[in-house]
Amino acid sequence: MPAEPPNDDTADRGEQWHSTTYGRPSRRPAPPRPAAQTPGREQRLLDLHEPAAPAPQTARELREPREPREPRSRPRRNVRRRRRVLGIVAVLVVLAVAYPLALTWRGWSAVNQVAAASTGARPAATPGTTYLIVGSDSRDGLSPEEIAEYSAGGTDISGQRTDTIMLLHVPDGGGPAALISIPRDSYVPIPGHDSNKINAAFSIGGAPLLMQTIENVSGLRIDHYVETGFGGFAQIVNAVGGVQMCPTQAVDDVRAGLDIQAGCQQMDGRTALGYARYRYSDVQGDLGRAVRQRELLAAIISKAASPATLLNPFKAFPLASSGGSAVTLDEDAGIGDLVKFLQGMRGASSASGISMTVPVSDPNLRTAHGLAVKWNTDKALEMFEDLKKDDTAALKSLAA
């Protein structure tokens, strides 16, 4: 009887049917299926270098595109950049504060100071700040070579006189600064010495008597005193690199050591000093000299305050040192008073400033002391009243 094949249940149990078993299922297990081979070393290395397949996107992600993410290193770069910018700004701020302070201190440390206050009865304090500026012709401190260079010799080189007398008024109310020349031959009463040329007050009693004389005739309280001499003036001009002046006519003045042609030209310290001093070749005499002195001061201040000078430490610091050593202040002045003086000089020399001479009625007044300058009394008193009221704007009508 032939053997019947096994049913499906036998085959499902993994048993193998054989005809020799006479219909019984074979007990030999089915051969094992081949197992998946473990990947070799080369395959594993290849898998490491190959990028992983991206995860499948959902339907929502397909509809809404994902924004690209910033690299993680960018926030750190931004922080470093901000710190670098802040560091540069901090350095610039320090320099902006420290540089002018160092420059001012350099000039102040070289300044000389003397007792200059009036010893007599003084007017009451007036608003604003008034400086008395004196250009002395004293030869003290000059070597024989410098006296010859500046044509400062002669038989009357002892003692002290003034080639320049000016008032600088810096108002408190924000009005224009005013620079006013007082002719050195102005005929005024000098306390204890009758009437004489105002220059005699400085020769007799120095800065205190000159200050007392001006306070008595003006009624104006003088707050501070500023003086420079022959050598100091020339030194300042050389320190700014010379100044350009434009004389309208040629000048040949032996006493001032000046021989120049008409027209604009660059003047060094020696030439500028002669230009500020000469008067015998000027038909206006002392009055013409006062005008030139203010023009020279304006040119010096303009060049000294220019960015090309102030922002160059190789020019600014030598100028501060030279300028400081060339100036003498009263013993009550402080560094703030020096800064205010420089600011006032710059303001008075600008287009909006006031530059004038005390009103004059007679430049050739005959006196027991020779020819002198007589003020226009009414206009001079009006000018001083405006200064006492700190109303410098009112001076424009007198300066015109």
Side-chain angles (χ1 to χ4, degrees):
M1 179 174 179
E4 297 181 358
N7 56 23
D8 294 338
D9 294 339
T10 305
D12 291 340
R13 290 194 300 267
E15 296 174 349
Q16 187 175 9
W17 179 83
H18 197 274
S19 59
T20 58
T21 59
Y22 301 99
R24 293 175 298 183
S26 174
R27 296 302 179 188
R28 286 181 299 174
R33 297 177 181 177
Q37 294 184 356
T38 304
R41 181 173 180 272
E42 292 77 10
Q43 183 64 35
R44 292 197 303 271
L45 292 176
L46 183 61
D47 292 341
L48 289 175
H49 288 289
E50 289 184 355
Q57 293 180 318
T58 64
R60 181 176 180 180
E61 290 174 334
L62 291 174
R63 289 194 304 269
E64 300 178 0
R66 184 179 302 172
E67 295 182 0
R69 293 183 178 180
E70 296 274 342
R72 291 184 178 181
S73 60
R74 181 165 298 179
R76 292 184 178 180
R77 288 200 301 268
N78 291 340
V79 170
R80 288 197 296 267
R81 188 181 298 111
R82 285 195 295 269
R83 288 177 178 174
R84 191 180 303 115
V85 171
L86 290 175
I88 294 173
V89 171
V91 171
L92 292 176
V93 170
V94 170
L95 289 177
V97 175
Y99 182 77
L101 289 178
L103 193 62
T104 303
W105 180 253
R106 178 67 173 271
W108 175 253
S109 62
V111 167
N112 301 306
Q113 292 186 275
V114 297
S118 170
T119 56
R122 308 191 65 187
T126 49
T129 304
T130 303
Y131 297 83
L132 170 60
I133 305 171
V134 170
S136 169
D137 66 357
S138 173
R139 280 74 167 174
D140 292 344
L142 294 181
S143 66
E145 293 77 15
E146 289 173 324
I147 291 177
E149 180 184 359
Y150 301 144
S151 298
T155 58
D156 58 344
I157 63 174
S158 61
Q160 57 181 1
R161 285 159 297 277
T162 57
D163 277 344
T164 305
I165 304 175
M166 296 182 184
L167 294 177
L168 172 67
H169 185 82
V170 184
D172 290 336
L179 184 62
I180 303 167
S181 294
I182 299 177
R184 59 170 257 172
D185 289 340
S186 298
Y187 200 67
V188 295
I190 299 175
H193 300 277
D194 299 325
S195 292
N196 202 336
K197 298 176 183 179
I198 197 169
N199 180 45
F202 189 74
S203 299
I204 297 170
L209 184 57
L210 177 62
M211 185 177 292
Q212 183 181 4
T213 300
I214 296 175
E215 286 187 338
N216 283 359
V217 297
S218 67
L220 180 67
R221 178 71 171 251
I222 297 175
D223 301 289
H224 296 292
Y225 173 80
V226 183
E227 178 187 337
T228 186
F230 275 3
F233 181 85
Q235 184 178 335
I236 293 174
V237 174
N238 288 332
V240 299
V243 292
Q244 187 181 63
M245 302 304 297
C246 299
T248 57
Q249 60 184 10
V251 179
D252 185 4
D253 193 299
V254 176
R255 296 193 183 191
L258 186 65
D259 185 4
I260 57 175
Q261 299 299 315
C264 294
Q265 54 198 281
Q266 190 77 2
M267 294 185 180
D268 60 8
R270 184 190 66 81
T271 305
L273 178 61
Y275 188 70
R277 290 179 57 208
Y278 91 88
R279 61 170 176 161
Y280 294 102
S281 301
D282 190 339
V283 294
Q284 292 185 303
D286 200 27
L287 298 181
R289 176 168 62 178
V291 173
R292 289 192 302 276
Q293 289 170 348
R294 295 198 305 273
E295 290 176 348
L296 268 170
L297 284 176
I300 294 170
I301 293 296
S302 176
K303 193 165 185 181
S306 67
T309 300
L310 288 180
L311 298 182
N312 185 344
F314 297 102
K315 291 183 178 180
F317 279 92
L319 172 60
S321 181
S322 299
S325 62
V327 170
T328 297
L329 298 178
D330 61 280
E331 60 185 1
D332 296 326
I335 190 169
D337 300 309
L338 175 61
V339 172
K340 192 171 186 177
F341 168 75
L342 296 174
Q343 292 174 339
M345 286 296 297
R346 185 178 182 183
S349 303
S350 68
S352 60
I354 305 294
S355 179
M356 61 180 294
T357 301
V358 173
V360 171
S361 62
D362 186 358
N364 297 300
L365 177 67
R366 294 185 178 277
T367 72
H369 302 282
L371 292 179
V373 174
K374 177 176 171 43
W375 292 354
N376 183 320
T377 305
D378 293 338
K379 290 187 176 181
L381 291 177
E382 180 183 350
M383 181 194 73
F384 288 124
E385 283 298 322
D386 291 336
L387 291 175
K388 286 192 288 184
K389 292 185 293 186
D390 209 26
D391 186 9
T392 52
L395 299 176
K396 292 183 178 181
S397 60
L398 295 173

